[in-house]
Amino acid sequence: MKLSIPDSVITAIRLPEQRIEQELLIELAVSLYSQQILSFGKARELAGMGKYEFGKLLGERKINRHYGLEELEDDLIYAGGE
């Protein structure tokens, strides 16, 4: 799937051209996560960020973390369980 963004919108974004796509993906990921549309793992995947980096970004924006089954499974794997 591809999103189509009008050229006039792209031109209006005040960022260097090489950063626009990544910044839009980050903003979309944060927004979808904050609305509980995407899980933490999928949102950080969309943003192209690691767990710590995405978690820090959410904290900076005062967005509460949602803790679901996916996060529990990640924590269990991290703790050495399967």
Side-chain angles (χ1 to χ4, degrees):
M1 181 176 119
K2 287 193 173 231
L3 293 176
S4 178
I5 300 171
D7 288 338
S8 61
V9 172
I10 297 294
T11 304
I13 296 174
R14 294 183 176 145
L15 287 171
E17 187 175 332
Q18 64 273 17
R19 285 187 47 208
I20 291 175
E21 182 176 348
Q22 183 60 36
E23 293 297 326
L24 289 176
L25 289 173
I26 290 170
E27 294 305 318
L28 180 59
V30 168
S31 178
L32 293 176
Y33 178 79
S34 70
Q35 297 175 62
Q36 298 185 21
I37 295 171
L38 279 182
S39 68
F40 180 85
K42 291 300 178 188
R44 73 176 185 83
E45 181 182 336
L46 177 61
M49 301 172 91
K51 286 182 184 181
Y52 175 78
E53 185 180 19
F54 191 66
K56 183 178 175 191
L57 177 62
L58 293 177
E60 290 168 355
R61 295 188 181 193
K62 299 183 180 5
I63 296 171
N64 292 329
R65 290 278 308 266
H66 315 167
Y67 197 81
L69 183 58
E70 182 178 341
E71 288 77 20
L72 175 61
E73 289 172 352
D74 285 348
D75 286 348
L76 290 173
I77 291 169
Y78 179 76
E82 291 282 327

